[in-house]
Amino acid sequence: MNNGSGLLESAEPGAEKDELQAKLADVEKRWNDIKQNTAEHAARVTSALPEAEKYNESVSSLGPWLTQTEGKLASLEPIVASKDTVEKLNNTVRLIREDIDKHRPERDAVSAKSEAVIELTEADRNIVKSEAQDAVERYDELDTAFATEEKELQEVLQLLDQYNNLMEPVDKTVEKVDAALESQGPISADVAKNKEDLDNIKVALN
C-alpha cells in the first residue's frame, strides 16, 4: 500500500496515473473490508468460545446421566399389593427424584447455552440444535415418568392403608372366634354345654 502511494505521487499526471489511483483505491477498500471482516470474525469467536465450552461441559455431563437414569426407570419393580414392597419402591423413586432435581440446572444450561452457540456460530448449528433438543426432551420425559410413578405409588399406599384399616377389626374378630373355639373342646351330648359354647361364639362375633 505504501509503495503504491509513493509510486502514485511520483507519477506524471494523466490517464495512467488516474488508472493507478483507481486501482490503489480499490485495493485499499478491499484491504479495509478484509480487516473489518477479520475483526468481526474474531469478535464472534471470542464471544462463542466460552458459550461453546459451557455447552459442551453441560451436554457431556448430562448425556451419560440420562442413559443411566433411563436404565433405572426401566428396571423399577412393578407396583404390587404389598405395603412393604411399595414403601421400598417409593423410597427408591424418591431418591431418583432427588437426583433428577439435582440435574435440572444442567438441563437448563444445555437449553440456554445451545441457543447461544447456535446464534453465535455458523458451523454445526443443526447438530447442536438436534443434540440439545434430544437431551432436553429425554430429561423432560424422565421427569414426567417419575412424577407419574410417584403419584401412582402414593395412591397405592393410600389404598393399602385404607384396606389395612378395614381388615384390622376383622382380623381381631377372627382371632377372638379362634380363641373361643379352641377353649370349648370337643362337641359333646351335653345340651347345656353346647348352648353355652354357642353363646360364647356369639359374644366373640359381636
Side-chain angles (χ1 to χ4, degrees):
M1 295 291 292
N2 291 332
N3 291 337
S5 297
L7 182 61
L8 182 63
E9 290 176 0
S10 63
E12 294 292 333
E16 290 184 1
K17 183 175 182 178
D18 293 341
E19 183 180 355
L20 178 60
Q21 187 173 15
K23 288 182 178 180
L24 283 174
D26 179 63
V27 169
E28 185 175 4
K29 181 181 180 303
R30 289 165 60 192
W31 175 248
N32 289 334
D33 287 344
I34 290 172
K35 287 201 302 182
Q36 182 178 350
N37 292 336
T38 301
E40 290 175 354
H41 179 75
R44 287 198 301 270
V45 171
T46 301
S47 299
L49 183 59
E51 299 297 333
E53 288 176 343
K54 292 175 184 176
Y55 168 74
N56 286 326
E57 181 181 348
S58 297
V59 79
S60 297
S61 173
L62 189 62
W65 175 83
L66 283 169
T67 301
Q68 183 183 43
T69 308
E70 286 165 346
K72 291 180 180 179
L73 174 62
S75 64
L76 285 178
E77 296 291 334
I79 299 176
V80 296
S82 166
K83 187 172 182 179
D84 289 342
T85 302
V86 173
E87 285 180 341
K88 182 179 178 182
L89 180 58
N90 188 55
N91 289 335
T92 300
V93 171
R94 178 177 55 79
L95 292 174
I96 298 175
R97 157 59 56 200
E98 292 174 358
D99 196 32
I100 290 174
D101 292 341
K102 179 181 176 182
H103 283 79
R104 177 168 289 279
E106 289 180 3
R107 178 262 187 214
D108 294 342
V110 167
S111 179
K113 297 306 176 184
S114 67
E115 293 177 3
V117 171
I118 291 169
E119 182 179 350
L120 292 169
T121 60
E122 299 172 359
D124 299 331
R125 285 182 175 179
N126 292 335
I127 294 175
V128 171
K129 183 178 180 179
S130 176
E131 182 182 54
Q133 184 176 353
D134 177 67
V136 170
E137 287 180 355
R138 287 170 66 192
Y139 179 96
D140 292 344
E141 287 171 1
L142 275 174
D143 189 36
T144 300
F146 275 96
T148 301
E149 186 79 9
E150 287 173 304
K151 182 175 180 294
E152 292 177 351
L153 286 169
Q154 292 305 313
E155 290 174 350
V156 170
L157 282 173
Q158 186 176 5
L159 289 173
L160 287 172
D161 284 339
Q162 293 174 355
Y163 171 78
N164 290 333
N165 289 337
L166 290 172
M167 288 301 299
E168 185 176 357
V170 175
D171 290 339
K172 289 182 178 180
T173 299
V174 171
E175 290 176 0
K176 287 170 63 177
V177 172
D178 284 342
L181 290 173
E182 289 179 2
S183 67
Q184 290 174 10
I187 299 174
S188 67
D190 187 337
V191 175
K193 185 177 183 307
N194 289 337
K195 184 178 179 181
E196 181 183 354
D197 290 343
L198 186 59
D199 290 339
N200 290 334
I201 293 174
K202 289 179 179 179
V203 169
L205 288 173
N206 291 331

